[in-house]
Amino acid sequence: MNDENVHFEVNEGAEYVEFDEEVSETEATEDPEHSATQATQAVRKRRKTSRVWKDFEPVGIESDGKERSKCIHCEAKFVTNSRTHGTHHLLRHLEKCPKKPKEGDRHVYDHQVDREMMSEIIIYHDLPFRYVEYEKVRARDKYLNLDCQPICRLTATADVFKRYEIEKDKLREVLAKHDGRVCFTSDLWKDTCTNTGYICLTAHFIDSSWRLSSKILNFCYLKAPHTGEEMANKVMECMKNWGVEKKVFSITLDNAGNNNSMVRLLQGRFELVNGGGLLCDGKFVHVRCCAHILNLIVKEGLELAKDLLENIKESVTYVKSSQGRKEAFHACALREGFKKSGLSLDVATRWNSTYEMLVRALKFRKAFEYLSVYDLNYKSLPSEEEWNRGEKLCEFLKPFYVITNLFSGSKYPTSNVYFTQVWRIQLLLMKFSSCDDAALADTAERMQVKFDKYWEDYSLVLAMGAVLDPRMKLYLLEKAYEAVDPLTAKVKVKELKDNLILLYNDYVARARPSSRVTTIPTPQELITESPLEDDDFDIDIFDLERSIGTGVSNTKTHLDIYLEEPRLDRASFPSYDVLGYWKDNQHRFGELAKMARDLLSIPITTVASESAFSIGSRVLTPYRNRLLPDNVQALLCTRNWLRGFAESEEDENNNQPNENAISGLRAGESSMP
């Protein structure tokens, strides 16, 4: 065994072993010197220690499901799955890579490239423009290359704005070529450092490769007061600037009153601009944020557990208030076998943070009891009855927590999971409303009232997303309606189908070419024209069908064919790629596939826009609060276009759908009739 290719690393306490990818697991475990160690230690992660990774960077999992990395010199891509591929093919490429500098070659310094890379550093890592003037940064740059020319913060600002304009032109070209509709989310944010209001507009669409794209179009200043009219003016201005005002399908907003008035104003303006371009006269344009509604429903139920939650919040606050109390609580937690004592406080506007606070506090229930014995100043220990009620409340709220995570996804379509999850919520509330626990039943009843206020009639446009899931279609939705209320099930299914046909017919009508304009020939044309023109033979017998009208046609539409085909078995396809299905069948289903592409791109929450606010709070800090709004927009938008919605390096490396969300999706699927 070649020891040069193997790198073993054993931490104190022998917690894990690492080895290079060029050596297989079998070879590593056969080493007699380390076999005993490996038999008792879990390999936690495999670190990339091969020398090839100096010249390759990971790309991630691409549309074909394979993980790839690219050469930093020529950008050629190679499959790099550590379990199925080694690194020998990467070494072979480096030996013949035409753009890889030869050993001994001196790297030529390019000042323009240096400036471009510096602007990317500022954008990627939320650094201030003054970063380029830091003394030690300049010293390090000079150490790496004596030819390095330092720049000032004004030049760095100009470079960032230049990169913003370049990326903006690229995105504008993508949107111009997009032949489908675009869905939007919008939300308001107020910077607490400067009391400046911003509005964020995010576009969501499925591109020609059937990949879901979410791009922040604008993060711009909005002058007060933030009325519906002022917001409508700004949103319309942004859409016109991007050239997407004629491609609007929907806009997802929370339940604020000014959002309702904004949508009413925008609908009228879209009709004027587009000449009636909104689908179905704008019937489906307004989508309400499901996460916001779910937040209102659950917070209504939490009101009955106010005393319990107040005691737990005070307990957590007490422990976190000083280092001495933290150490005392940690010692109490160690008695119960916990090496870490992580507690969290809730955020008033986010019920799921309250749930997380409760779950963590229950985990350290005994530790709090020990603390009350040793610390006589600790007075907010929940009673035994309150702890027991908290455990029941956690069990009750867990499905809502999973559904909230599922709703909040931005890397996968969510409109097709709306119906199943709202249906689950309704069944859960019905079940707990009649349970033996009076307190829990009262909680569920109060939540049911709030549920009926917003979701008694499911959103039709989002229910259509469930119909376009080939595992569900109308049949399964009818069964779901019957499980809730058998008397109204058929009426609701008929309403859903009628609206589905209405939307489909609108797509078909817009796809047909306009009727030929009949012109009267001049006398000279009548004399000179041939009695048999070529056009006389351009006769289509199917024009007769179109002249009869759609009302009496005996043909089947693509929608009819899709609905009549057998459903896919959900047990055989538990985590089916719905977008992949429509991509594979787009030529077979024509306009229905285009409609599915637009429907499945509807975001059911405003999480994408709200994610920008988390980044904005790091760009605008108490120590960096004089940035001009245009510079704030350039930083945030360019960062999103280059990196997506990752808020940190860890988020970017773990950009797959939340595991809780996926498990919730599967749970929802398996519980359907």
Side-chain angles (χ1 to χ4, degrees):
M1 186 173 182
N2 190 352
D3 291 335
E4 293 181 359
N5 289 334
V6 183
H7 171 69
F8 287 99
E9 181 174 327
V10 182
N11 274 6
E12 185 176 353
E15 289 190 357
Y16 65 93
V17 179
E18 297 181 353
F19 49 87
D20 193 288
E21 292 180 23
E22 291 184 37
V23 183
S24 68
E25 285 188 66
T26 305
E27 292 175 329
T29 54
E30 287 175 356
D31 189 336
E33 185 178 346
H34 297 282
S35 59
T37 304
Q38 287 183 311
T40 57
Q41 298 170 2
V43 179
R44 291 192 176 177
K45 72 173 185 177
R46 184 174 296 178
R47 195 163 67 184
K48 296 176 179 178
T49 56
S50 173
R51 63 180 182 273
V52 302
W53 298 114
K54 295 179 181 178
D55 300 278
F56 281 86
E57 60 182 18
V59 175
I61 299 175
E62 298 195 311
S63 57
D64 60 357
K66 295 182 179 180
E67 184 180 358
R68 289 184 171 83
S69 297
K70 70 176 180 180
C71 174
I72 63 174
H73 309 293
C74 66
E75 297 192 349
K77 294 183 180 179
F78 298 89
V79 176
T80 52
N81 187 309
S82 60
R83 296 190 179 278
T84 58
H85 295 69
T87 55
H88 296 296
H89 63 303
L90 305 182
L91 287 168
R92 288 195 296 271
H93 168 75
L94 291 176
E95 291 173 359
K96 59 182 181 181
C97 179
K99 294 188 178 181
K100 182 179 183 295
K102 303 299 180 183
E103 291 187 13
D105 289 354
R106 185 175 181 273
H107 180 69
V108 179
Y109 173 76
D110 188 323
H111 181 59
Q112 187 59 40
V113 173
D114 184 24
R115 285 175 58 177
E116 291 173 359
M117 293 182 69
M118 187 60 72
S119 66
E120 281 194 5
I121 291 173
I122 292 172
I123 292 167
Y124 262 62
H125 304 292
D126 309 315
L127 295 171
F129 295 124
R130 194 183 289 274
Y131 172 79
V132 297
E133 296 179 346
Y134 288 170
E135 179 183 354
K136 291 301 180 181
V137 171
R138 288 187 170 185
R140 181 177 181 275
D141 291 344
K142 209 69 176 176
Y143 168 76
L144 293 173
N145 196 313
L146 293 174
D147 297 331
C148 180
Q149 303 172 28
I151 60 175
C152 67
R153 64 181 183 274
L154 296 178
T155 303
T157 305
D159 288 346
V160 167
F161 210 82
K162 180 181 178 182
R163 183 61 182 269
Y164 164 72
E165 293 292 344
I166 291 172
E167 297 300 326
K168 184 177 181 179
D169 289 340
K170 291 180 182 177
L171 181 56
R172 183 183 278 114
E173 184 178 355
V174 169
L175 291 171
K177 292 180 179 179
H178 179 61
D179 60 349
R181 294 269 171 169
V182 181
C183 302
F184 295 91
T185 56
S186 181
D187 210 345
L188 295 178
W189 179 66
K190 186 177 182 181
D191 173 30
T192 55
C193 299
T194 61
N195 289 324
T196 304
Y198 290 87
I199 186 168
C200 180
L201 182 67
T202 309
H204 309 262
F205 59 95
I206 294 172
D207 60 23
S208 56
S209 299
W210 289 83
R211 289 175 298 195
L212 182 62
S213 296
S214 298
K215 305 292 183 183
I216 297 176
L217 300 187
N218 293 91
F219 191 94
C220 51
Y221 168 72
L222 182 69
K223 67 180 182 180
H226 300 156
T227 62
E229 184 176 3
E230 189 64 37
M231 293 164 61
N233 292 337
K234 180 59 70 173
V235 169
M236 196 67 189
E237 176 188 332
C238 294
M239 288 184 176
K240 284 185 175 180
N241 180 262
W242 284 95
V244 292
E245 73 277 11
K246 297 182 179 180
K247 297 184 177 183
V248 177
F249 184 88
S250 70
I251 181 165
T252 303
L253 305 161
D254 62 29
N255 290 331
N258 52 0
N259 282 332
N260 294 331
S261 57
M262 178 185 75
V263 170
R264 286 195 297 269
L265 291 168
L266 283 175
Q267 279 185 262
R269 295 177 189 182
F270 288 146
E271 291 297 327
L272 291 174
V273 170
N274 300 338
L278 282 178
L279 292 164
C280 300
D281 298 325
K283 184 176 183 179
F284 309 116
V285 72
H286 188 189
V287 177
R288 298 185 183 275
C289 175
C290 294
H292 186 257
I293 294 174
L294 188 55
N295 190 51
L296 295 175
I297 292 171
V298 179
K299 286 187 73 176
E300 186 72 20
L302 291 176
E303 282 296 314
L304 292 178
K306 194 173 182 180
D307 294 339
L308 162 67
L309 296 173
E310 191 64 33
N311 280 338
I312 289 178
K313 187 170 184 177
E314 287 181 8
S315 298
V316 175
T317 304
Y318 181 84
V319 169
K320 287 178 169 285
S321 61
S322 73
Q323 186 61 33
R325 290 171 181 172
K326 288 180 183 177
E327 292 173 358
F329 184 78
H330 181 65
C332 294
L334 282 175
R335 289 191 58 179
E336 288 297 307
F338 296 112
K339 294 183 179 180
K340 293 183 180 181
S341 52
L343 299 174
S344 64
L345 278 171
D346 65 339
V347 179
T349 57
R350 300 290 179 194
W351 84 266
N352 48 335
S353 66
T354 305
Y355 172 81
E356 290 171 354
M357 179 185 73
L358 181 59
V359 168
R360 293 193 180 199
L362 286 167
K363 180 181 177 181
F364 297 104
R365 174 177 176 175
K366 288 293 183 182
F368 279 113
E369 292 176 359
Y370 288 139
L371 183 65
S372 67
V373 174
Y374 293 110
D375 189 346
L376 299 179
N377 294 319
Y378 173 46
K379 305 291 185 183
S380 53
L381 177 70
S383 65
E384 188 76 15
E385 181 185 351
E386 287 178 327
W387 281 122
N388 294 336
R389 187 147 48 95
E391 289 180 350
K392 290 182 180 179
L393 189 62
C394 272
E395 183 183 354
F396 171 59
L397 293 178
K398 185 177 181 179
F400 296 91
Y401 178 75
V402 172
I403 292 170
T404 298
N405 287 336
L406 178 61
F407 279 173
S408 303
S410 59
K411 302 291 183 182
Y412 50 91
T414 53
S415 59
N416 61 310
V417 302
Y418 159 85
F419 183 91
T420 57
Q421 302 310 312
V422 173
W423 176 79
R424 285 184 67 205
I425 292 170
Q426 189 170 14
L427 284 187
L428 283 168
L429 293 178
M430 291 170 61
K431 172 186 173 182
F432 281 99
S433 295
S434 57
C435 69
D436 296 333
D437 190 318
L440 207 56
D442 194 15
T443 299
E445 285 176 4
R446 292 186 60 167
M447 293 170 67
Q448 182 73 53
V449 172
K450 188 70 75 171
F451 178 94
D452 292 340
K453 178 180 178 181
Y454 294 106
W455 280 339
E456 184 177 13
D457 296 321
Y458 293 9
S459 169
L460 288 172
V461 70
L462 295 180
M464 292 179 197
V467 176
L468 295 175
D469 185 331
R471 299 165 299 170
M472 296 187 65
K473 302 192 177 182
L474 280 172
Y475 172 79
L476 211 57
L477 267 67
E478 183 175 356
K479 293 298 181 184
Y481 278 129
E482 288 176 356
V484 173
D485 186 0
L487 298 178
T488 61
K490 292 191 179 298
V491 175
K492 290 181 177 179
V493 170
K494 183 180 184 304
E495 182 186 13
L496 176 58
K497 185 174 182 180
D498 290 344
N499 280 275
L500 191 65
I501 294 171
L502 177 68
L503 183 60
Y504 172 73
N505 287 341
D506 201 342
Y507 269 87
V508 172
R510 292 170 188 272
R512 286 176 180 165
S514 57
S515 302
R516 297 179 181 176
V517 179
T518 304
T519 57
I520 301 175
T522 63
Q524 181 66 25
E525 289 172 338
L526 288 171
I527 296 172
T528 57
E529 71 179 356
S530 170
L532 291 176
E533 294 289 345
D534 292 339
D535 288 346
D536 292 337
F537 296 98
D538 188 18
I539 300 172
D540 184 1
I541 193 171
F542 293 104
D543 285 337
L544 297 174
E545 178 191 4
R546 288 191 282 270
S547 66
I548 296 172
T550 57
V552 293
S553 174
N554 61 353
T555 60
K556 287 186 178 181
T557 65
H558 288 130
L559 178 60
D560 296 330
I561 295 171
Y562 168 76
L563 293 176
E564 290 175 7
E565 285 183 352
R567 293 182 299 107
L568 297 180
D569 180 28
R570 297 174 69 83
S572 302
F573 301 93
S575 55
Y576 191 66
D577 180 10
V578 178
L579 289 183
Y581 171 86
W582 287 104
K583 178 183 179 180
D584 295 339
N585 292 276
Q586 58 182 314
H587 300 297
R588 189 162 70 93
F589 286 122
E591 295 305 314
L592 181 62
K594 291 183 179 179
M595 187 177 92
R597 184 174 68 173
D598 295 339
L599 272 171
L600 293 173
S601 64
I602 298 176
I604 63 176
T605 70
T606 59
V607 167
S609 293
E610 291 176 3
S611 298
F613 305 153
S614 300
I615 303 167
S617 62
R618 295 202 304 274
V619 172
L620 287 167
T621 68
Y623 306 100
R624 190 190 181 194
N625 57 18
R626 293 195 297 172
L627 276 176
L628 296 174
D630 286 347
N631 289 338
V632 174
Q633 177 171 257
L635 286 166
L636 264 70
C637 290
T638 312
R639 184 187 194 276
N640 171 256
W641 301 337
L642 295 176
R643 293 188 62 184
F645 283 96
E647 295 182 15
S648 64
E649 299 289 347
E650 183 180 354
D651 291 339
E652 188 176 62
N653 294 333
N654 301 300
N655 59 359
Q656 298 303 314
N658 187 289
E659 286 299 323
N660 288 336
I662 294 300
S663 63
L665 172 59
R666 289 172 180 165
E669 289 167 350
S670 61
S671 62
M672 290 294 287

